[in-house]
Amino acid sequence: MTKTLNCFTLALTAVSILPAQVSAQEAKSEAFSFPNVPPSSQRALQTSDSETNQSQQLAAPKKPDVSVLERIISTNPETIVIQTKHRDDLRSCWATEGEAMMIALYNCWPLLEGFQTYREAKEITRDHRRSRRALMRDKPEYLGSKEYEASLEAEYDDAIRSAKKIEALAGKREYPMQDMLLFLANLIQSSIAKKRDDYDTALASVDNSILLFETTKITEPDFANLEALQRERTRLLDRKAEASK
């Protein structure tokens, strides 16, 4: 869901409530030999035929690497294949920060399966919206019709089913990065609940995320943003009170 993804991007780039921690986790992960190796986070300098442009590029300060959380969420998990014989290898699944999290995405089957399910949810939503746009081009009166509203409800139902599937895969929180998946599932459900003016369900999803952030083992900076969730909770309470008048 585009809206959900935007919310997650904001959450990733917000100030973290967790202190940045220095650990040997990344070094330990790199000491192992994993079947899948994620692409480097380094950004290559753009090449140019102009010597002047080349000099300017070389002299310019290097841009910081994209955060690992942004890299994870922007990676298409369908491009990652973990062979069946390697799916019982759970050594990478305990990642909590840094490059170890990317290694986990590429090598931990329980995590990859969850992110693939989230990708499927986005594609289902995309297909619903493309279908509505096509119908509106051919038949402008379709917008606002009963058929249009039925399509919206079908999209919402599919999104909720996807969120529940993610929860079924990640709900035991066996591995730290499953908290990312549960947060995404909560965002899906709170977003749909708001569209349906179901503020109790939306509040429950936000409360679930607050609990998630308070107890997460992920130590990567910028993941757990409690302040944003608390502001969202206040907004929902205000909207619920306004709707009840």
Short mmCIF file of all heavy atoms in Angstrom, two decimals, residues 53-100:
data_model
loop_
_atom_site.label_atom_id
_atom_site.label_comp_id
_atom_site.label_asym_id
_atom_site.label_seq_id
_atom_site.Cartn_x
_atom_site.Cartn_y
_atom_site.Cartn_z
N ASN A 53 33.38 17.82 -15.11
CA ASN A 53 32.37 17.21 -14.26
C ASN A 53 32.98 16.11 -13.40
O ASN A 53 32.64 15.95 -12.23
CB ASN A 53 31.23 16.63 -15.09
CG ASN A 53 30.34 17.73 -15.66
OD1 ASN A 53 30.37 18.85 -15.19
ND2 ASN A 53 29.57 17.37 -16.69
N GLN A 54 33.91 15.36 -14.00
CA GLN A 54 34.57 14.31 -13.24
C GLN A 54 35.34 14.90 -12.07
O GLN A 54 35.30 14.38 -10.95
CB GLN A 54 35.52 13.52 -14.15
CG GLN A 54 34.78 12.60 -15.12
CD GLN A 54 35.76 11.86 -16.01
OE1 GLN A 54 36.93 12.22 -16.08
NE2 GLN A 54 35.27 10.84 -16.69
N SER A 55 36.05 16.01 -12.31
CA SER A 55 36.82 16.64 -11.24
C SER A 55 35.90 17.14 -10.13
O SER A 55 36.20 17.00 -8.95
CB SER A 55 37.64 17.81 -11.80
OG SER A 55 38.55 17.35 -12.77
N GLN A 56 34.76 17.73 -10.54
CA GLN A 56 33.82 18.23 -9.55
C GLN A 56 33.24 17.09 -8.73
O GLN A 56 33.08 17.21 -7.52
CB GLN A 56 32.69 18.99 -10.24
CG GLN A 56 33.14 20.31 -10.84
CD GLN A 56 32.05 20.98 -11.64
OE1 GLN A 56 31.05 20.34 -12.00
NE2 GLN A 56 32.23 22.25 -11.93
N GLN A 57 32.96 15.95 -9.38
CA GLN A 57 32.40 14.80 -8.67
C GLN A 57 33.41 14.25 -7.68
O GLN A 57 33.06 13.91 -6.54
CB GLN A 57 32.00 13.72 -9.67
CG GLN A 57 30.75 14.08 -10.47
CD GLN A 57 30.50 13.07 -11.57
OE1 GLN A 57 31.34 12.20 -11.83
NE2 GLN A 57 29.35 13.16 -12.21
N LEU A 58 34.67 14.16 -8.11
CA LEU A 58 35.70 13.61 -7.22
C LEU A 58 35.97 14.54 -6.05
O LEU A 58 36.29 14.09 -4.96
CB LEU A 58 36.98 13.37 -8.01
CG LEU A 58 36.90 12.26 -9.07
CD1 LEU A 58 38.18 12.26 -9.90
CD2 LEU A 58 36.69 10.91 -8.40
N ALA A 59 35.80 15.85 -6.28
CA ALA A 59 36.08 16.81 -5.21
C ALA A 59 34.92 16.95 -4.25
O ALA A 59 35.09 17.36 -3.11
CB ALA A 59 36.40 18.18 -5.83
N ALA A 60 33.70 16.61 -4.71
CA ALA A 60 32.52 16.77 -3.87
C ALA A 60 32.54 15.77 -2.73
O ALA A 60 33.04 14.65 -2.88
CB ALA A 60 31.26 16.57 -4.70
N PRO A 61 32.03 16.18 -1.56
CA PRO A 61 31.98 15.24 -0.44
C PRO A 61 31.05 14.08 -0.75
O PRO A 61 30.02 14.25 -1.40
CB PRO A 61 31.42 16.09 0.72
CG PRO A 61 30.70 17.21 0.04
CD PRO A 61 31.45 17.49 -1.22
N LYS A 62 31.43 12.91 -0.31
CA LYS A 62 30.65 11.71 -0.59
C LYS A 62 29.35 11.73 0.20
O LYS A 62 29.33 12.03 1.38
CB LYS A 62 31.46 10.47 -0.24
CG LYS A 62 30.78 9.17 -0.61
CD LYS A 62 31.67 8.00 -0.24
CE LYS A 62 30.99 6.68 -0.58
NZ LYS A 62 31.84 5.54 -0.22
N LYS A 63 28.25 11.39 -0.47
CA LYS A 63 26.97 11.34 0.21
C LYS A 63 26.94 10.14 1.17
O LYS A 63 27.54 9.11 0.90
CB LYS A 63 25.83 11.20 -0.81
CG LYS A 63 25.67 12.41 -1.71
CD LYS A 63 24.52 12.19 -2.67
CE LYS A 63 24.34 13.41 -3.57
NZ LYS A 63 23.23 13.22 -4.53
N PRO A 64 26.26 10.29 2.29
CA PRO A 64 26.20 9.17 3.23
C PRO A 64 25.44 8.00 2.63
O PRO A 64 24.58 8.17 1.76
CB PRO A 64 25.44 9.77 4.43
CG PRO A 64 24.64 10.89 3.84
CD PRO A 64 25.49 11.45 2.75
N ASP A 65 25.76 6.80 3.08
CA ASP A 65 25.07 5.62 2.60
C ASP A 65 23.61 5.67 3.01
O ASP A 65 23.25 6.26 4.02
CB ASP A 65 25.71 4.37 3.19
CG ASP A 65 27.11 4.14 2.66
OD1 ASP A 65 27.47 4.75 1.65
OD2 ASP A 65 27.84 3.36 3.29
N VAL A 66 22.76 5.02 2.24
CA VAL A 66 21.35 4.89 2.60
C VAL A 66 21.27 4.01 3.84
O VAL A 66 22.00 3.03 3.97
CB VAL A 66 20.57 4.25 1.43
CG1 VAL A 66 19.12 3.97 1.82
CG2 VAL A 66 20.63 5.16 0.21
N SER A 67 20.38 4.36 4.76
CA SER A 67 20.28 3.59 6.00
C SER A 67 19.85 2.16 5.69
O SER A 67 19.18 1.88 4.70
CB SER A 67 19.27 4.22 6.95
OG SER A 67 17.95 3.93 6.54
N VAL A 68 20.25 1.24 6.55
CA VAL A 68 19.93 -0.16 6.33
C VAL A 68 18.43 -0.39 6.35
O VAL A 68 17.90 -1.23 5.62
CB VAL A 68 20.66 -1.05 7.37
CG1 VAL A 68 20.10 -0.86 8.77
CG2 VAL A 68 20.56 -2.52 6.97
N LEU A 69 17.70 0.36 7.16
CA LEU A 69 16.24 0.20 7.21
C LEU A 69 15.60 0.60 5.89
O LEU A 69 14.68 -0.07 5.41
CB LEU A 69 15.67 1.03 8.37
CG LEU A 69 16.10 0.60 9.76
CD1 LEU A 69 15.60 1.58 10.81
CD2 LEU A 69 15.61 -0.80 10.09
N GLU A 70 16.08 1.68 5.29
CA GLU A 70 15.56 2.09 3.98
C GLU A 70 15.92 1.08 2.91
O GLU A 70 15.13 0.81 2.01
CB GLU A 70 16.11 3.47 3.61
CG GLU A 70 15.56 4.60 4.46
CD GLU A 70 16.21 5.93 4.11
OE1 GLU A 70 17.40 6.11 4.43
OE2 GLU A 70 15.52 6.76 3.51
N ARG A 71 17.11 0.52 3.00
CA ARG A 71 17.52 -0.49 2.03
C ARG A 71 16.64 -1.73 2.13
O ARG A 71 16.25 -2.31 1.11
CB ARG A 71 18.98 -0.86 2.25
CG ARG A 71 19.97 0.23 1.84
CD ARG A 71 21.38 -0.13 2.32
NE ARG A 71 21.84 -1.38 1.72
CZ ARG A 71 22.73 -2.17 2.29
NH1 ARG A 71 23.24 -1.87 3.49
NH2 ARG A 71 23.12 -3.28 1.69
N ILE A 72 16.32 -2.12 3.35
CA ILE A 72 15.48 -3.31 3.53
C ILE A 72 14.10 -3.09 2.92
O ILE A 72 13.59 -3.92 2.17
CB ILE A 72 15.37 -3.65 5.03
CG1 ILE A 72 16.71 -4.19 5.54
CG2 ILE A 72 14.26 -4.68 5.27
CD1 ILE A 72 16.78 -4.31 7.05
N ILE A 73 13.49 -1.95 3.24
CA ILE A 73 12.12 -1.72 2.80
C ILE A 73 12.05 -1.46 1.30
O ILE A 73 11.01 -1.66 0.67
CB ILE A 73 11.47 -0.56 3.59
CG1 ILE A 73 9.93 -0.68 3.55
CG2 ILE A 73 11.92 0.78 3.08
CD1 ILE A 73 9.37 -1.91 4.19
N SER A 74 13.15 -1.01 0.68
CA SER A 74 13.15 -0.74 -0.76
C SER A 74 13.59 -1.96 -1.58
O SER A 74 13.51 -1.94 -2.81
CB SER A 74 14.05 0.45 -1.08
OG SER A 74 15.40 0.16 -0.76
N THR A 75 14.06 -3.00 -0.92
CA THR A 75 14.48 -4.21 -1.61
C THR A 75 13.27 -5.04 -2.02
O THR A 75 12.35 -5.24 -1.22
CB THR A 75 15.39 -5.07 -0.71
OG1 THR A 75 16.60 -4.34 -0.42
CG2 THR A 75 15.77 -6.38 -1.39
N ASN A 76 13.24 -5.49 -3.26
CA ASN A 76 12.17 -6.37 -3.71
C ASN A 76 12.49 -7.79 -3.24
O ASN A 76 13.39 -8.44 -3.78
CB ASN A 76 12.05 -6.34 -5.23
CG ASN A 76 10.95 -7.24 -5.74
OD1 ASN A 76 10.30 -7.97 -4.99
ND2 ASN A 76 10.73 -7.24 -7.05
N PRO A 77 11.77 -8.31 -2.24
CA PRO A 77 12.10 -9.63 -1.70
C PRO A 77 11.86 -10.75 -2.70
O PRO A 77 12.38 -11.86 -2.51
CB PRO A 77 11.18 -9.75 -0.48
CG PRO A 77 10.02 -8.85 -0.79
CD PRO A 77 10.61 -7.71 -1.56
N GLU A 78 11.08 -10.47 -3.76
CA GLU A 78 10.85 -11.51 -4.76
C GLU A 78 12.11 -11.80 -5.57
O GLU A 78 12.17 -12.83 -6.25
CB GLU A 78 9.71 -11.07 -5.70
CG GLU A 78 8.36 -10.89 -5.01
CD GLU A 78 7.85 -12.16 -4.36
OE1 GLU A 78 8.21 -13.26 -4.85
OE2 GLU A 78 7.11 -12.07 -3.37
N THR A 79 13.09 -10.91 -5.52
CA THR A 79 14.34 -11.13 -6.24
C THR A 79 15.31 -11.99 -5.44
O THR A 79 16.38 -12.34 -5.94
CB THR A 79 15.01 -9.79 -6.59
OG1 THR A 79 15.39 -9.12 -5.37
CG2 THR A 79 14.07 -8.90 -7.39
N ILE A 80 14.96 -12.28 -4.20
CA ILE A 80 15.83 -13.07 -3.32
C ILE A 80 15.34 -14.51 -3.28
O ILE A 80 14.15 -14.77 -3.06
CB ILE A 80 15.85 -12.50 -1.89
CG1 ILE A 80 16.27 -11.03 -1.91
CG2 ILE A 80 16.78 -13.31 -1.00
CD1 ILE A 80 16.12 -10.33 -0.57
N VAL A 81 16.24 -15.45 -3.49
CA VAL A 81 15.89 -16.87 -3.46
C VAL A 81 16.76 -17.57 -2.42
O VAL A 81 17.99 -17.52 -2.49
CB VAL A 81 16.10 -17.53 -4.84
CG1 VAL A 81 15.79 -19.03 -4.76
CG2 VAL A 81 15.23 -16.86 -5.90
N ILE A 82 16.11 -18.17 -1.44
CA ILE A 82 16.82 -19.01 -0.47
C ILE A 82 16.47 -20.46 -0.80
O ILE A 82 15.32 -20.87 -0.69
CB ILE A 82 16.41 -18.68 0.98
CG1 ILE A 82 16.74 -17.23 1.31
CG2 ILE A 82 17.12 -19.62 1.96
CD1 ILE A 82 16.30 -16.80 2.70
N GLN A 83 17.44 -21.20 -1.24
CA GLN A 83 17.20 -22.58 -1.62
C GLN A 83 16.68 -23.39 -0.43
O GLN A 83 17.03 -23.13 0.72
CB GLN A 83 18.48 -23.20 -2.17
CG GLN A 83 18.97 -22.55 -3.46
CD GLN A 83 20.23 -23.22 -3.98
OE1 GLN A 83 20.57 -24.35 -3.60
NE2 GLN A 83 20.92 -22.55 -4.88
N THR A 84 15.86 -24.36 -0.73
CA THR A 84 15.23 -25.18 0.31
C THR A 84 16.26 -25.76 1.26
O THR A 84 16.06 -25.79 2.49
CB THR A 84 14.40 -26.31 -0.32
OG1 THR A 84 13.43 -25.75 -1.22
CG2 THR A 84 13.69 -27.13 0.75
N LYS A 85 17.39 -26.18 0.74
CA LYS A 85 18.41 -26.81 1.58
C LYS A 85 19.04 -25.83 2.57
O LYS A 85 19.68 -26.26 3.53
CB LYS A 85 19.50 -27.44 0.71
CG LYS A 85 20.30 -26.43 -0.12
CD LYS A 85 21.32 -27.15 -0.98
CE LYS A 85 22.13 -26.17 -1.83
NZ LYS A 85 23.12 -26.87 -2.69
N HIS A 86 18.86 -24.52 2.33
CA HIS A 86 19.44 -23.51 3.22
C HIS A 86 18.40 -22.88 4.16
O HIS A 86 18.76 -22.03 4.98
CB HIS A 86 20.11 -22.40 2.41
CG HIS A 86 21.30 -22.85 1.63
ND1 HIS A 86 22.36 -23.52 2.20
CD2 HIS A 86 21.60 -22.73 0.29
CE1 HIS A 86 23.26 -23.78 1.27
NE2 HIS A 86 22.82 -23.33 0.11
N ARG A 87 17.14 -23.27 4.04
CA ARG A 87 16.09 -22.59 4.81
C ARG A 87 16.11 -22.91 6.30
O ARG A 87 15.50 -22.20 7.10
CB ARG A 87 14.71 -22.90 4.20
CG ARG A 87 14.53 -22.26 2.84
CD ARG A 87 13.17 -22.49 2.25
NE ARG A 87 13.07 -21.84 0.94
CZ ARG A 87 11.99 -21.85 0.17
NH1 ARG A 87 10.90 -22.49 0.58
NH2 ARG A 87 12.00 -21.25 -1.01
N ASP A 88 16.80 -23.97 6.68
CA ASP A 88 16.93 -24.30 8.10
C ASP A 88 18.13 -23.62 8.74
O ASP A 88 18.35 -23.75 9.94
CB ASP A 88 17.06 -25.82 8.29
CG ASP A 88 15.76 -26.55 7.96
OD1 ASP A 88 14.69 -25.92 8.09
OD2 ASP A 88 15.82 -27.73 7.56
N ASP A 89 18.89 -22.88 7.93
CA ASP A 89 20.06 -22.15 8.45
C ASP A 89 19.56 -20.84 9.04
O ASP A 89 19.24 -19.89 8.31
CB ASP A 89 21.05 -21.90 7.31
CG ASP A 89 22.33 -21.22 7.81
OD1 ASP A 89 22.37 -20.78 8.98
OD2 ASP A 89 23.28 -21.11 7.01
N LEU A 90 19.50 -20.75 10.35
CA LEU A 90 18.92 -19.59 11.04
C LEU A 90 19.98 -18.71 11.69
O LEU A 90 19.66 -17.83 12.51
CB LEU A 90 17.92 -20.07 12.11
CG LEU A 90 16.80 -20.99 11.61
CD1 LEU A 90 15.94 -21.44 12.77
CD2 LEU A 90 15.96 -20.29 10.55
N ARG A 91 21.25 -18.88 11.32
CA ARG A 91 22.32 -18.13 11.97
C ARG A 91 22.16 -16.62 11.81
O ARG A 91 22.52 -15.85 12.71
CB ARG A 91 23.68 -18.55 11.40
CG ARG A 91 24.11 -19.97 11.74
CD ARG A 91 25.36 -20.34 10.98
NE ARG A 91 25.16 -20.27 9.52
CZ ARG A 91 26.16 -20.23 8.64
NH1 ARG A 91 27.42 -20.22 9.05
NH2 ARG A 91 25.89 -20.19 7.35
N SER A 92 21.63 -16.18 10.68
CA SER A 92 21.51 -14.74 10.43
C SER A 92 20.25 -14.13 11.03
O SER A 92 20.12 -12.90 11.06
CB SER A 92 21.52 -14.48 8.92
OG SER A 92 20.35 -15.04 8.32
N CYS A 93 19.34 -14.95 11.52
CA CYS A 93 18.00 -14.47 11.91
C CYS A 93 18.00 -13.58 13.14
O CYS A 93 16.99 -12.91 13.42
CB CYS A 93 17.08 -15.65 12.15
SG CYS A 93 16.75 -16.66 10.68
N TRP A 94 19.07 -13.57 13.90
CA TRP A 94 19.08 -12.83 15.16
C TRP A 94 19.57 -11.40 15.02
O TRP A 94 19.79 -10.70 16.01
CB TRP A 94 19.97 -13.59 16.18
CG TRP A 94 19.57 -15.02 16.28
CD1 TRP A 94 20.18 -16.09 15.68
CD2 TRP A 94 18.44 -15.54 16.97
NE1 TRP A 94 19.50 -17.25 15.97
CE2 TRP A 94 18.43 -16.94 16.76
CE3 TRP A 94 17.43 -14.97 17.75
CZ2 TRP A 94 17.45 -17.77 17.30
CZ3 TRP A 94 16.46 -15.81 18.29
CH2 TRP A 94 16.47 -17.18 18.06
N ALA A 95 19.73 -10.94 13.80
CA ALA A 95 20.25 -9.59 13.54
C ALA A 95 19.37 -8.52 14.20
O ALA A 95 18.14 -8.60 14.18
CB ALA A 95 20.34 -9.34 12.04
N THR A 96 20.03 -7.51 14.75
CA THR A 96 19.30 -6.40 15.38
C THR A 96 19.73 -5.04 14.85
O THR A 96 19.06 -4.04 15.11
CB THR A 96 19.53 -6.39 16.91
OG1 THR A 96 20.93 -6.19 17.18
CG2 THR A 96 19.06 -7.68 17.55
N GLU A 97 20.84 -4.98 14.10
CA GLU A 97 21.31 -3.68 13.62
C GLU A 97 22.29 -3.85 12.47
O GLU A 97 22.83 -4.93 12.23
CB GLU A 97 21.98 -2.91 14.76
CG GLU A 97 23.23 -3.59 15.31
CD GLU A 97 23.78 -2.89 16.53
OE1 GLU A 97 23.06 -2.78 17.53
OE2 GLU A 97 24.94 -2.43 16.46
N GLY A 98 22.51 -2.74 11.75
CA GLY A 98 23.56 -2.67 10.75
C GLY A 98 23.42 -3.65 9.59
O GLY A 98 22.34 -4.15 9.28
N GLU A 99 24.54 -3.92 8.96
CA GLU A 99 24.57 -4.77 7.78
C GLU A 99 24.07 -6.18 8.08
O GLU A 99 23.59 -6.88 7.18
CB GLU A 99 26.00 -4.83 7.21
CG GLU A 99 26.11 -5.44 5.83
CD GLU A 99 25.43 -4.61 4.75
OE1 GLU A 99 25.14 -3.41 5.00
OE2 GLU A 99 25.18 -5.15 3.65
N ALA A 100 24.15 -6.58 9.34
CA ALA A 100 23.64 -7.91 9.72
C ALA A 100 22.16 -8.04 9.38
O ALA A 100 21.68 -9.14 9.07
CB ALA A 100 23.85 -8.14 11.21
#
